[in-house]
Every structure is written in C-alpha cells, then in structure tokens.
Amino acid sequence: VVMAAQQARVLAEADEVLREAEKLMTPPSTRLGRLLWRADPVAAAPKYQSAANKFAYCRALDLAKRSFERAAESYAASGQDYAAGQNFEKAFGVSDDGSFAAKAADAYRSAGQPALAAETLCRCGQKAEDPALVAAAVDDAELAGGQRAVDVARSCFVWLAGRRYASATPAAATLLAMMDVVGVEATEPSRARIVADLVVLRLLESLDDAERVFLDALPEFAPADEARFVDDLIAACKQRDRAALKAALCPANLALLDMDVANIARTILADPVSALASWWRVDDADDDPAPPPRAEEEEEDDESGDPGDDDDLPDIA
C-alpha cells in the first residue's frame, strides 16, 4: 500500500513537470501570444528529463520514452549535444528502439565523441539484435582510432561473426587495419584469433575465400598457433577428409577461436556436408576407393599364373 501510494505521488509529480515543460515548448493559442512567444528549450530540457526519470521509476515506459525523446530534442536545440545523446540513449533503454541508438550516436558525433558513438551503437545494437547498428559502430570506431576503439570494433566483429552476418567480413578488414595503426603484431593472440575466426566464417561460403584470408595474413601470421590450426583445417577441407577435419577441430584448437565462432566450427565437425553445403558436395567422397591395379601388375600376374586355375596344373595322366 505504501509503495502504491508513493508511485501514485511520483506519477503525479511527473505529470506536473511534464506539463511545465510542454508549456515552455508549445505556442499559445492566441495570435498575439504566438507573435510574442519564443520556445525555451534550455529551460524545458531538464524538466522533460526529470519527468522521464520519474515515469521510468514508475515503469510508465511509454511516457518515459516520449519524455526522454523530448528532453533529447530540447538539449539538441539548445546546443547541448552530449546531453542530447544521453537522453536518446535512455529512450532506447526503455524501448529497445534502435532509432534512438542511431540518434544518440549522431548526437555524440556532433559533440566530438566518435568513440562514445561507437560504444553506444555496439552496445545498443547487440541488445536490440540489430546487425546494421553493430556494423555502423565499426565505422565510428575506425573514425575514433586508438585502443579503446579497437576493443569496440573487436566486440562488434565477434558478435557479427558468431551470428554469421555477412557484415562480419568487412568488419574484420577494418579491425585488422585499425590494429595495424595501433601496432598490434600479427602473432599476438588478439589479432591471430581474428584471422582464425574469419577463416572459419568464410569456410561456410567458400573454401577459396577461406584460403585467401589465410594467405593474405602470411608471412607475419605464420608463427602463431592459430596459423598452424588454420593450415590443418584448410588442408583437411581440401581433401574432404573427415578424420583430418576432426583432428584439426580438436578441443585445443577450438580454444583458439572466440566462443561463438568455435560453436560454428563444431557444426562443421558434426556435419561438414550440411555446414559447408555451398561447396562440399554430397558426392564428394570422404574416403577415396582403392585405385585399380596398374597395367604392369596385371601383366606380371598373367606371366606368373594363378595356382587356383585348373588350366595351369601339370598333366598327371
């Protein structure tokens, strides 16, 4: 009862503050009043934000979403881009509407914070299961540069790769280029793992593409444990050899991959014909039949004769 009474009081306060904010942003009904009226987003923005926080506390999420949006627009109109981004992000938080995440990123960019824009798109895109937002985060991360941005781009790539989105491939290329800038060596596990992840991902579409990713990373990539694993994996796939594939995808090698990509690799191991259906045809034999005997061997057999043949036995009559 006490909680219900408190919630009712907070809702009433939120309604009152919201009306005050709307009054500051809504022109009067009279013609003279409209001539003299000027919107006041500077004063309205904190009132919208206060009302939104109160609505969110009471779980009136639709009212909270609209109030956060109005607060963000008012902050933007008054030149406070960072505060606008925060409120657009809060609007996403109570609605999971990806458009608010995109608007928050725009506001952060306007505030000169591309790294924060990247983090927002990455975090919100993953929560909303929106690959377009996550891929856009990689572009902002590239613009921001630095190790912080590399970490964001890597999180984006792993998420996209684990869900087999095509945008994972360009994300990986951007990420590797960013690592070049910050000086991450090709044999460092954080970078070598990306190459291995990408090879597994490309195997789903094309063996040639997977091999090209591997070859493009050489020779710098060669000393890494991931390079040995990738080399064995590609060789097994070329030979359509299930035993070699099982050896290549052993637990120790799967540990070289990110967890979501390792799960993809396990599906390849379980049923390569289905997992790699785009190029591993059903009629590709896993075990080649023994080759027919050579002509020379057949001739030798004819000359030596077959003791089991009655015609070659001596005449004992």
Side-chain angles (χ1 to χ4, degrees), residues 159-227:
W159 188 88
L160 292 167
R163 287 152 183 79
R164 310 187 188 192
Y165 287 117
S167 50
T169 299
T174 301
L175 176 56
L176 292 172
M178 291 171 64
M179 287 183 160
D180 284 337
V181 173
V182 300
V184 179
E185 298 293 334
T187 53
E188 289 189 25
S190 62
R191 177 167 185 156
R193 178 168 291 198
I194 294 165
V195 176
D197 284 348
L198 187 57
V199 167
V200 171
L201 193 64
R202 296 311 304 149
L203 268 179
L204 300 176
E205 303 297 331
S206 167
L207 176 58
D208 290 341
D209 284 354
E211 186 173 22
R212 191 174 302 112
V213 169
F214 174 48
L215 294 177
D216 288 346
L218 297 175
E220 294 83 1
F221 178 55
D225 290 339
E226 288 83 355

Side-chain angles (χ1 to χ4, degrees), residues 57-80:
Y57 171 79
C58 296
R59 306 302 296 169
L61 299 185
D62 192 56
L63 289 170
K65 178 192 72 173
R66 295 206 303 268
S67 298
F68 278 128
E69 182 180 18
R70 293 287 283 156
E73 291 169 347
S74 298
Y75 277 122
S78 58
Q80 301 179 67

Side-chain angles (χ1 to χ4, degrees), residues 109 114-115 137-146 149 174 178:
R109 283 188 218 104
V138 178
D139 296 333
D140 276 310
E142 183 180 22
L143 180 63
T174 301
M178 291 171 64

Side-chain angles (χ1 to χ4, degrees), residues 23 49 75 84 99 123 145 165 192 214 216 224 280-281 302 309:
K23 186 175 180 180
Q49 184 173 344
Y75 277 122
S99 66
R123 181 174 58 255
Y165 287 117
F214 174 48
D216 288 346
W280 189 316
R281 299 184 306 277
D302 291 339
D309 190 338

